[in-house]
């Protein structure tokens, strides 16, 4: 996938937690899918792309993700009902909705993408999803449009701190 200059800046960051705040139609979901594929190239990885709702993730990212992986010829199996793609190297990319945060518990994730973060309840990140990255030392990409001073704004500010070693924001 060809990336714009602003997408490249985010993709090249080596920080564990990257935050991209941008307006509509900038290519946040395109970057998210590219990053999911990048992390899935290693065998036996679990990658989640999570948005405000399951339905929204299916509408926004599912077709684009399937097409990209089929074009790469990486697909072993596609589960339409669970929005999960298993790759030939046994990595899995799954789309999930944060509207039922308790359904997100219990797994170890290698790479997590939270799309449209400002529309996701903060506790879905702090209480449910953040712990899923602990034992795997997983990474995360947060994307979204600005919607006031909320937890996504605070996350962005954390990435702006030059002394912060794990967060980077764009």
């Amino acid at each position: 996938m060809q990336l714009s200059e602003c997408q490249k800046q985010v993709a090249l960051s080596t920080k564990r937690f990257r935050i991209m705040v941008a307006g509509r139609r900038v290519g946040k979901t395109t970057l998210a899918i590219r990053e999911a594929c990048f992390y899935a190239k290693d065998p036996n990885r679990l990658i989640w792309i999570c948005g405000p709702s399951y339905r929204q993730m299916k509408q926004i990212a599912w077709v684009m993700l399937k097409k990209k992986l089929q074009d790469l010829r990486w697909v072993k199996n596609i589960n339409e009902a669970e929005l999960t793609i298993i790759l030939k190297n046994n990595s899995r990319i799954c789309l999930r909705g944060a509207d039922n945060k308790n359904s997100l518990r219990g797994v170890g994730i290698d790479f997590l993408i939270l799309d449209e973060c400002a529309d996701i309840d903060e506790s879905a990140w702090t209480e449910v999803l953040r712990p899923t990255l602990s034992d795997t030392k997983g990474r995360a990409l947060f994307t979204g449009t600005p919607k006031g001073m909320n937890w996504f704004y605070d996350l962005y500010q954390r990435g702006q701190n030059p002394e912060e070693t794990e967060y980077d924001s764009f």
Side-chain angles (χ1 to χ4, degrees), residues 54-66:
Y54 190 75
R55 181 182 178 129
Q56 187 175 359
M57 293 314 302
K58 186 172 185 175
Q59 288 176 335
I60 293 171
W62 185 237
V63 172
M64 190 186 316
L65 176 65
K66 284 192 306 184

Side-chain angles (χ1 to χ4, degrees), residues 48-124:
W48 276 15
I49 304 173
C50 189
S53 73
Y54 190 75
R55 181 182 178 129
Q56 187 175 359
M57 293 314 302
K58 186 172 185 175
Q59 288 176 335
I60 293 171
W62 185 237
V63 172
M64 190 186 316
L65 176 65
K66 284 192 306 184
K67 180 171 178 7
K68 177 62 180 169
L69 291 169
Q70 287 170 332
D71 288 350
L72 291 169
R73 296 189 170 109
W74 289 6
V75 176
K76 179 177 176 180
N77 185 30
I78 296 176
N79 186 324
E80 293 283 343
E82 294 190 12
L83 301 185
T84 297
I85 300 174
I86 301 172
L87 306 182
K88 291 176 182 177
N89 67 0
N90 291 318
S91 285
R92 288 176 292 150
I93 301 177
C94 310
L95 272 59
R96 298 291 183 256
D99 46 345
N100 180 5
K101 65 183 180 184
N102 288 325
S103 70
L104 306 175
R105 296 182 186 275
V107 297
I109 299 171
D110 296 294
F111 185 63
L112 171 68
I113 298 160
L114 279 177
D115 194 17
E116 292 303 339
C117 290
D119 294 329
I120 295 174
D121 186 274
E122 179 179 9
S123 64

Side-chain angles (χ1 to χ4, degrees), residues 108-144:
I109 299 171
D110 296 294
F111 185 63
L112 171 68
I113 298 160
L114 279 177
D115 194 17
E116 292 303 339
C117 290
D119 294 329
I120 295 174
D121 186 274
E122 179 179 9
S123 64
W125 164 244
T126 57
E127 296 172 17
V128 180
L129 293 168
R130 175 62 182 92
T132 67
L133 300 171
S134 295
D135 58 340
T136 63
K137 301 210 182 330
R139 296 174 168 268
L141 171 64
F142 305 85
T143 66

